[in-house]
Amino acid sequence: MDAPPPPPGQPDKPPTKGGFKGRKSTKRGLSRNPKKGSKNQKGDYRSNKSEDVPPVADPQERPAPSAATVYTKTSKAEYAQMYHSCKAQLDACLAESNKKDVLIAKLQQKIEQLIKTSKSSRDKAKEAQKHASKVEKEAVAATKRLQLSLEDTYEQLQKKDTEWQDVLSRSVDEVQEVERDRRDRAVKLLQKKFAGAIKRKETEHESTIKLKDNEIKNVKHLANARLNETAKLHIENVHLKQAHQVALDKKDISHHQALVSQRQKTQSLLTRKDHQIKRQKTDLDAYQELAFEVAVESQETLKEAAKTTRESKNKVAAAEATATKRLHKFKDAAEEIQSLKDDLEAAHDQMQVNLDEMQEQIRNLREQLERKQEEADEFEAMAHLAGKELEQFRYVRVTKTGKPKTWGPVVTQLVVEMLANGTPPSAISANILSVCKLLIPHAPIIEELPSIRFVRGCRTVLLHLAKTLAAFEIASQDVFQQLFTDGTTRRQTEFQNVIIGVLTPAGYRRVALDGCILSEEHNAQSVTTSILVAFQRSGKLLDLWRSVTVEMYPDRDDLLERIPPSSELTLAKMAKGFTMTDTCNTARRIQHLLHEEIKKICKDKGMSDEDIELHKSFCWQHLRNVWFGAVELALNNTLLNQLEESMSAIPSIYRVNMDIVNLYRAAEKMVGGTANYAKGDGKNFVHFKNEFHPTTFLYPLVRACGGTRQDLCVEGAPSILMNLPMYLQFLHWRMDACGTSGDGILATNLYLNFKSSEVIAQLRVLSILHIAICMPVRWLAGKTESLLDYDFGYYDMGKALDILESAFMEIIDDPSKFLDEDFMMGLFSEISDKVDPFQAYLEYMFEKKIGNVVENTKSDDDKVLPYDLIRAAVFYPDRDDIRKTDALCRELAVTAASAFLIEFRDESKATAQYLSSIGGENSLAVISESKRKAGLGKESSNSTSESLHGTVTHLMKVSGTIRLDHAAGDGMLQTNGHVDRNVSQYIKKKRNDKSDEDETPSLFFQLPEELRITAMIAAKRGAPSLRKEHDAALKLQKEADLRRKRVEHEKNLENAKEEYIKAWDLMDIYHSERGWKKLSQAWRIFNSISSEPTRLKAVKEQITIRVKGFGWKEAAHAWSKGGTAYDSLELMNHFVNVILPMEAKLGVPSEPAFKLQDNTTKYALGTDSGLSVENVALNTKSVEDLKAEAMMERARREAEGETDRDANLQAHTMPTIDDTLVGYSIEYCFAYLDDDGGEYYGWIDGVVEKIVNAEKRMVDKVERRQGARR
């Protein structure tokens, strides 16, 4: 036949080659996207089977089709009419075709084939019968041989059984003997191990008792002294208060009177002393006169004696005696005179001393009087100056009328400091008034107080000041050691913080640069950009501070030099630093992007690649938590499998499961003293414990209800395990003995868990992991920055990881090592031998840390070593319930060790980077010594960032409506401590408190007064813009969230339209001969398809038509189960037995439903209110508009050749090539030449008018007629 004219828009050139394809459908359409690879497409019949199509007659021998034969679009009514007409004609053709001789011939051929097949089958059956008889004979012989062999084997087994019984009895005896020896050795070892400790404890106990007695005496003495002093001070205070007003008015008079009185007393004392001296002088003169008289008398006596010696010898003796007596009297008088002289001199000296003392007292009294006068003057001056300063700094701006407009820097600083100290805004003005009235009651200082609005506005000033001081301290450093960052979500707002670690003369410090960084999008790139912007904005705060300083003190270059410019706040100082994040994928991506940006900044500063050596570091606390989270899950799953049967018998209302953290929460609610749970009974439990277990130490429960941590699974285990006997007795007493009908669900849940040996084994295993692994690794991860002197830094944490890997491999080989104290508690001995503080920590926790059995006791008898008791309980248990778990603990130990090793070696997680056995990039086996040393003095955890988020969260809970940026500002000041006044140095310490208080003032108070004033003024000036920046960033984030929701909404609409288009395509398939509508038709087509894949595809298509086309979800059937795919027959049975009856019951819908995604609940409460839930702003198009758009899109795809519905509507089997094909719709592909001489193809449709050659499957003519059969 002749080629039709080319499609519209193509050059009118004769075709060179052609081909046609047959179709049998109810729809017609033009397709212009043939595959250019097939130049001659004669007989291209589209079907699911790769069968030949009858070639068309030579187009050169046939005239070109008339214009009437050109295909035109028809309406749906015409489609329906044509469909019914074709169906009737098709039924007639099928009736006639049954009479054809061709079918009879085919049937005869099939019969002959069946006969041949039956003959060959009979031959095969005879051969099989012969083979079966032969096999039967062989089987009889084999049975006899097997019977003989079994008899021999039975005899051998009897002998072996006898031997094994003997061996078993001997083994039991040997095991018992070994067990007895082991127990004896263990007892001796324990006695030997603890003998010295017991003696030391006894000695320490005796010495402690003595020290305590002395301390008690001293305390009593000091207490009495303190009471006396307190009483005196109280009396003096009362007198001072009563006489305060009088003392101020009469101070000069009272001191003058006291001085006069003192002078009079001194003068009278001097007068009495003068009288005494005069009396002593009179006595001295009397003695001197007596001595003179005695001397004269002696001379006269001697003269008389000389005269009389010659006269009489008798008188000589008498004279000598008299002279001797007189001489003795003279000597006694002389001695008495000398004694009186000495007494007089001593009395004179004492009097001089007393006089000096009196003069000193007079001077002291004068000095005290002068000091009192100075203090009074100082108080008056302070009151005057305070009022003057408050008047001076109270207002800095005035209106045109001269009235004040805002508070000055002094009041602002006062408010900011009180806010930083945690004072609620509503209490600040009242506190200011109270302090001023108490300290200076009569000074007229307070005239007006700040309003609550001003106080709340000062939170923004506080934020500005916090950021400015943080930028000041960070920019003042030459090198940044570390950069910490972490993100969180509060009030549905995601924000990030940034903390810089710097090395100052005072030591390593962490300074929070910004506690609330808002990013527009919730992705790593946006967060990284926002962090860089935060550095730029902090630099602008420094520039503002500098400009205010220049404005107020233009000639003070020394002040300006102390404020670094914004250029100093650059990430180029991180060239050799460490960045620290947690281990999630987003955080790791942020870290990578930060490194790229830092490298760019460094290179912009002129640094070479050798000068840049950035280090990626991850928080080891997060790594540790990830390990224990995996271990918890593995243990839970293991015990769930073991207890599946018993747990299935427990009613679900008691919520019994193997989630150990849920057990901690339940215990805290029930017996915890701090849990705010109405149905708990913690108060009664404490009374129960004190009443029935007064000498038992009560281990405090960990806080499980307040948050979630992955290491909570091990941290909470020891307290539950140690307190479990008391808990169990209390629950039994409460539930049974007392008959309490309280919260039976919670109590029953705990009772069932505490009575389970499996739970006790789980608690024991987790307790060992806590004291042996969690506590040491936690301490090391939190202290690496302070272990520089011990050559242990960030990368040395990999040593701990290697130790753990080796230990867990040994536990898998020998599970008994998990219950070996020396093995488990000595895991990190290699590190503790090198790092003295680590060894001291372990010794303190397990050998020195004391707990009180009775609260607030001071008796040594009521003190225990809690962690030492835990070690003894898990490794050397004396409780039967714990001893029974040895075997299960060894099994769980292998499970835990395997989980640890899987986590360690998972290369998709950060831990694998530090493992030497697999060559981790940051492991000690791979890194160089210089890189390891670079990690010395660096932190190994991101706790500072986490702590800052925790502070912000606490402030938001306490303050309620506080802004997010304000809470971050308070958190920054608390973290950085820039406005602290070191209150602790003014608070009296306890006697046993030996901690050293740093009396160095904080950063803000180290600055000159001028810079403090300018910093406060700059904060007030910049506060409004800072507030606007935060609000703008928050608005951008919310707008981005809304855009993302709108994009999701549009995507859902597009998906709905796409599903609607697919549903229409499926509906068209159903209404074509490709659809299976009747049972006989379905089985006939199913059996006619010989290929299993094609048959399976056909059945799936029919099921999909009902599920997605009709919207019958109940008709769905899975394609596979348990990894095994269903075959076509199984799906066909579902189609026949379920779908076709459903179709007969429900009927075929006229059109598919337009399904928008609806996640609202399908339930209803009472009567529907009828209130519209549609939002015109979000969904501006009605369902009808969306349907119209979907149909337009469907038509566009068909018109532009993106889809070909006619090809999809072909029957599953090829029609018979005979006269029944006349009127059958087909499409013919012609090849055309374009202007450049190249070929292109176009499909032209029409109908078959005549069969030219049925054998060669050639049609005579293709013609398109209105209403023709297809």
Side-chain angles (χ1 to χ4, degrees), residues 425-439:
S426 58
I428 285 181
S429 294
N431 288 351
I432 293 174
L433 180 62
S434 298
V435 171
C436 291
K437 289 297 183 182
L438 285 173
L439 294 181

Side-chain angles (χ1 to χ4, degrees), residues 39 184 211 239 258 265 297 507 526 563 570 652 1063 1158 1205 1229:
K39 294 183 179 180
D184 294 339
L211 291 174
H239 289 315
K265 291 179 182 180
E297 187 178 355
S526 181
I563 306 175
T570 173
S652 60
D1158 186 9
R1205 276 179 279 165
C1229 181

Side-chain angles (χ1 to χ4, degrees), residues 708-955:
T708 301
R709 306 186 313 278
Q710 290 174 305
D711 64 346
L712 180 63
C713 64
V714 293
E715 188 176 1
S719 58
I720 300 291
L721 180 66
M722 301 300 288
N723 297 339
L724 192 142
M726 289 188 292
Y727 291 159
L728 200 57
Q729 292 178 17
F730 174 72
L731 291 172
H732 180 269
W733 174 68
R734 183 181 184 274
M735 297 167 60
D736 188 11
C738 298
T740 304
S741 59
D743 186 12
I745 296 176
L746 180 61
T748 304
N749 175 285
L750 289 173
Y751 188 83
L752 292 172
N753 277 285
F754 291 160
K755 287 284 287 182
S756 171
S757 291
E758 287 78 7
V759 173
I760 295 174
Q762 186 180 19
L763 290 171
R764 184 182 181 186
V765 169
L766 294 174
S767 297
I768 294 174
L769 292 176
H770 177 62
I771 63 176
I773 298 175
C774 181
M775 289 173 59
V777 175
R778 178 192 293 172
W779 188 92
L780 289 172
K783 295 291 184 179
T784 52
E785 74 277 8
S786 62
L787 301 179
L788 176 63
D789 295 338
Y790 301 94
D791 196 35
F792 191 92
Y794 174 80
Y795 289 111
D796 294 293
M797 289 297 299
K799 181 65 176 177
L801 188 63
D802 295 338
I803 290 173
L804 290 176
E805 182 192 33
S806 176
F808 290 134
M809 293 175 66
E810 292 186 39
I811 290 173
I812 291 176
D813 295 336
D814 184 6
S816 63
K817 287 190 175 182
F818 187 78
L819 300 179
D820 185 350
E821 181 190 21
D822 293 336
F823 178 78
M824 292 301 296
M825 301 306 296
L827 289 178
F828 300 102
S829 58
E830 184 177 351
I831 298 176
S832 61
D833 293 342
K834 173 183 175 182
V835 182
D836 294 340
F838 182 44
Q839 179 65 33
Y841 163 76
L842 296 177
E843 291 178 356
Y844 170 76
M845 293 299 297
F846 295 104
E847 299 179 15
K848 298 180 181 180
K849 185 176 176 62
I850 294 176
N852 295 329
V853 175
V854 181
E855 188 177 2
N856 296 328
T857 184
K858 293 185 179 180
S859 173
D860 288 341
D861 296 335
D862 295 330
K863 297 181 183 298
V864 297
L865 299 174
Y867 282 97
D868 184 62
L869 294 179
I870 294 174
R871 287 179 65 169
V874 296
F875 292 114
Y876 309 103
D878 56 358
R879 281 167 38 189
D880 292 338
D881 60 322
I882 299 179
R883 283 202 298 266
K884 291 178 182 178
T885 63
D886 285 354
L888 182 55
C889 284
R890 287 191 287 269
E891 179 182 348
L892 294 179
V894 174
T895 301
S898 302
F900 272 113
L901 293 177
I902 291 172
E903 285 297 312
F904 292 170
R905 297 168 180 174
D906 187 352
E907 296 186 2
S908 65
K909 298 184 178 180
T911 303
Q913 297 183 11
Y914 303 91
L915 193 63
S916 297
S917 62
I918 61 175
E921 59 181 296
N922 290 323
S923 64
L924 293 177
V926 174
I927 64 173
S928 62
E929 180 64 16
S930 61
K931 185 174 182 179
R932 188 193 72 83
K933 288 186 176 296
L936 297 177
K938 304 298 188 301
E939 283 196 80
S940 297
S941 71
N942 205 16
S943 301
T944 305
S945 294
E946 298 284 354
S947 176
L948 180 54
H949 284 321
T951 304
V952 173
T953 303
H954 172 73
L955 290 170

Side-chain angles (χ1 to χ4, degrees), residues 384-639:
H384 178 72
L385 289 176
K388 187 177 180 180
E389 287 184 0
L390 286 176
E391 186 66 27
Q392 178 182 357
F393 292 107
R394 179 178 174 184
Y395 306 110
V396 295
R397 295 200 309 270
V398 294
T399 60
K400 293 181 179 180
T401 60
K403 295 183 179 180
K405 193 172 182 180
T406 184
W407 293 96
V410 173
V411 176
T412 304
Q413 180 180 340
L414 177 60
V415 173
V416 167
E417 287 194 45
M418 297 183 76
L419 287 172
N421 294 333
T423 307
S426 58
I428 285 181
S429 294
N431 288 351
I432 293 174
L433 180 62
S434 298
V435 171
C436 291
K437 289 297 183 182
L438 285 173
L439 294 181
I440 313 175
H442 301 288
I445 296 177
I446 302 299
E447 295 181 1
E448 184 182 355
L449 289 170
S451 64
I452 186 65
R453 180 181 179 184
F454 173 79
V455 173
R456 287 174 177 164
C458 284
R459 285 197 182 275
T460 310
V461 179
L462 182 148
L463 173 64
H464 194 289
L465 182 65
K467 288 188 174 184
T468 302
L469 295 176
F472 172 82
E473 183 174 6
I474 294 172
S476 299
Q477 306 300 321
D478 296 331
V479 176
F480 299 164
Q481 300 291 327
Q482 286 182 277
L483 185 149
F484 307 87
T485 183
D486 186 52
T488 190
T489 301
R490 295 291 181 271
R491 296 177 181 169
Q492 301 83 46
T493 302
E494 294 188 11
F495 61 96
Q496 200 85 2
N497 63 26
V498 171
I499 298 174
I500 303 297
V502 294
L503 193 60
T504 66
Y508 187 87
R509 268 185 55 79
R510 295 162 289 272
V511 184
L513 178 70
D514 200 332
C516 182
I517 302 175
L518 299 177
S519 59
E520 182 175 357
E521 299 287 346
H522 306 317
N523 55 57
Q525 183 63 57
S526 181
V527 172
T528 305
T529 303
S530 62
I531 291 175
L532 299 177
V533 172
F535 274 86
Q536 297 173 1
R537 289 178 176 173
S538 296
K540 292 180 180 179
L541 300 182
L542 292 176
D543 292 339
L544 176 61
W545 189 9
R546 289 172 62 89
S547 64
V548 172
T549 303
V550 172
E551 177 184 339
M552 295 187 65
Y553 304 100
D555 299 329
R556 294 291 300 276
D557 293 338
D558 59 320
L559 297 177
L560 194 62
E561 290 176 356
R562 298 195 62 169
I563 306 175
S566 58
S567 59
E568 291 297 319
L569 189 63
T570 173
L571 282 172
K573 296 181 179 181
M574 274 287 299
K576 295 184 179 295
F578 283 64
T579 56
M580 172 72 71
T581 63
D582 56 27
T583 59
C584 70
N585 291 332
T586 303
R588 295 168 73 172
R589 178 63 179 167
I590 292 172
Q591 187 181 59
H592 174 74
L593 294 175
L594 272 176
H595 276 226
E596 296 298 324
E597 295 296 334
I598 293 172
K599 289 178 181 178
K600 291 180 182 178
I601 295 172
C602 292
K603 290 183 178 179
D604 292 342
K605 293 287 186 179
M607 296 184 183
S608 62
D609 293 336
E610 291 75 13
D611 298 330
I612 305 172
E613 187 181 350
L614 288 169
H615 300 265
K616 292 182 180 179
S617 59
F618 299 106
C619 176
W620 274 85
Q621 305 292 18
H622 283 82
L623 296 179
R624 175 177 54 83
N625 285 338
V626 172
W627 307 340
F628 288 115
V631 171
E632 176 193 3
L633 182 61
L635 294 178
N636 291 349
N637 292 336
T638 300
L639 293 178

Side-chain angles (χ1 to χ4, degrees), residues 670-703:
M670 188 68 197
V671 296
T674 58
N676 188 18
Y677 187 66
K679 297 181 180 180
D681 210 2
K683 181 176 68 175
N684 288 332
F685 170 73
V686 173
H687 177 72
F688 173 87
K689 183 265 174 190
N690 293 334
E691 182 71 19
F692 300 105
H693 299 277
T695 61
T696 303
F697 180 75
L698 180 64
Y699 285 80
L701 295 173
V702 297
R703 184 174 58 88

Side-chain angles (χ1 to χ4, degrees), residues 1059-1072 1075 1100-1111 1152 1194 1209:
E1059 292 297 325
Y1060 187 69
I1061 293 172
K1062 291 180 180 179
W1064 262 117
D1065 292 341
L1066 293 172
M1067 291 281 286
D1068 288 346
I1069 293 176
Y1070 174 81
H1071 290 295
S1072 70
K1100 286 184 177 180
E1101 183 181 64
Q1102 299 305 313
I1103 296 175
T1104 305
I1105 289 173
R1106 275 72 176 181
V1107 175
K1108 294 186 176 181
F1110 297 173
R1194 185 173 183 237
L1209 300 180

Side-chain angles (χ1 to χ4, degrees), residues 1071-1085:
H1071 290 295
S1072 70
E1073 289 191 2
R1074 191 178 181 90
W1076 300 354
K1077 306 171 186 64
K1078 296 181 179 180
L1079 180 63
S1080 59
Q1081 177 194 14
W1083 280 116
R1084 177 174 56 80
I1085 299 176

